[in-house]
Amino acid sequence: MNIGIDVDGVLTDIHSFNLQHAPKFFKKRFNRDVADETPYDIRDIFKCPESEYKAYWKKYLLRYAIFEPARKGAKATVRKLHEDGHKIYIISKRVFTCQDNFLGKLMRFIVRNWLWRNGIKHHEIVFCDNDIADSKKTACLEKRIDIMVDDEPVNIYSVAPIAKVICFATSYNRDCEGVNIVRVQDWEEVYGVIGNPRETSC
């Protein structure tokens, strides 16, 4: 099978990273407290304007992109899927990766280097435009993806009509359910679902 795997929130735990670093940053810099831990986006967590959101990521983006480790079990599971004969596509909407400038080249290099350093086996990397809601659906159609592993609701609902979606369960996607969507708690469960295709429909 052709398997698509997201980076931010799936191979990494970006939500935990933000909840670890953002509260202190927003409190000290803008005297702003957490409004709701549930959402995916920093702007919703802190009910902050775009200027504060950009200030946070200006300070923490490279720290996250370079040093945040892979989730427990990700390396071993992806390697097993690779060894089982599945074709692994890394399909990411990482910010800046679709820009045709120095920043875009830098971020693409960082993603590739991060995958190599964390031992994430793959056949191809597909960078999708973060500003286009259906960009992952387009990528899945082009690469004939059978199963997509993702965490962000907009991507899950976009891809589900054309491929099976394994939803990496988090607080911000707790309501994501439906045909072709299967929720998992960790990478061990991801392997169990892919190893038992009948479990990928609900």
Side-chain angles (χ1 to χ4, degrees):
M1 287 190 292
N2 291 340
I3 300 173
I5 299 176
D6 177 44
V7 177
D8 302 315
V10 172
L11 288 175
T12 69
D13 189 349
I14 189 173
H15 194 56
S16 291
F17 175 90
N18 285 334
L19 292 179
Q20 176 185 353
H21 296 285
K24 183 178 179 180
F25 172 85
F26 279 97
K27 185 66 176 179
K28 182 177 180 180
R29 188 89 172 265
F30 303 109
N31 195 29
R32 189 178 295 277
D33 294 314
V34 172
D36 183 358
E37 289 189 358
T38 301
Y40 174 81
D41 198 292
I42 284 287
R43 287 164 287 199
D44 298 320
I45 294 174
F46 290 91
K47 304 298 182 188
C48 66
E50 190 73 11
S51 59
E52 294 179 12
Y53 170 81
K54 288 181 177 179
Y56 170 75
W57 279 118
K58 183 177 181 179
K59 179 174 182 178
Y60 285 104
L61 179 59
L62 289 181
R63 181 186 303 188
Y64 164 76
I66 296 172
F67 299 111
E68 181 68 6
R71 281 186 187 266
K72 180 181 178 181
K75 174 182 175 180
T77 297
V78 175
R79 185 177 296 273
K80 283 195 291 184
L81 292 171
H82 189 277
E83 292 171 351
D84 288 346
H86 299 295
K87 196 165 185 179
I88 307 298
Y89 291 86
I90 303 299
I91 302 179
S92 174
K93 290 171 73 173
R94 170 70 65 80
V95 65
F96 303 132
T97 54
C98 285
Q99 292 187 9
D100 188 23
N101 53 25
F102 173 77
L103 185 57
K105 291 177 182 178
L106 175 63
M107 189 57 72
R108 291 190 293 274
F109 170 80
I110 288 173
V111 171
R112 293 187 178 102
N113 184 260
W114 184 92
L115 291 167
W116 174 76
R117 285 189 296 105
N118 284 273
I120 306 297
K121 301 278 286 184
H122 58 279
H123 294 84
E124 187 176 341
I125 305 172
V126 181
F127 295 112
C128 302
D129 194 327
N130 190 49
D131 294 324
I132 300 176
D134 285 345
S135 59
K136 280 200 176 180
K137 179 180 180 180
T138 300
C140 287
L141 285 168
E142 290 177 352
K143 300 303 178 181
R144 298 182 179 181
I145 298 299
D146 298 296
I147 298 177
M148 180 70 202
V149 188
D150 214 304
D151 66 306
E152 194 172 355
V154 65
N155 299 328
I156 293 167
Y157 286 125
S158 174
V159 173
I162 55 98
K164 309 282 188 189
V165 180
I166 296 178
C167 171
F168 218 100
T170 67
S171 60
Y172 52 83
N173 64 31
R174 61 188 177 190
D175 296 325
C176 287
E177 295 179 345
V179 176
N180 273 357
I181 300 172
V182 179
R183 299 180 64 80
V184 299
Q185 300 295 324
D186 54 37
W187 275 99
E188 185 177 351
E189 287 190 22
V190 171
Y191 187 79
V193 170
I194 295 175
N196 297 277
R198 286 175 295 180
E199 294 182 13
T200 63
S201 61
C202 57

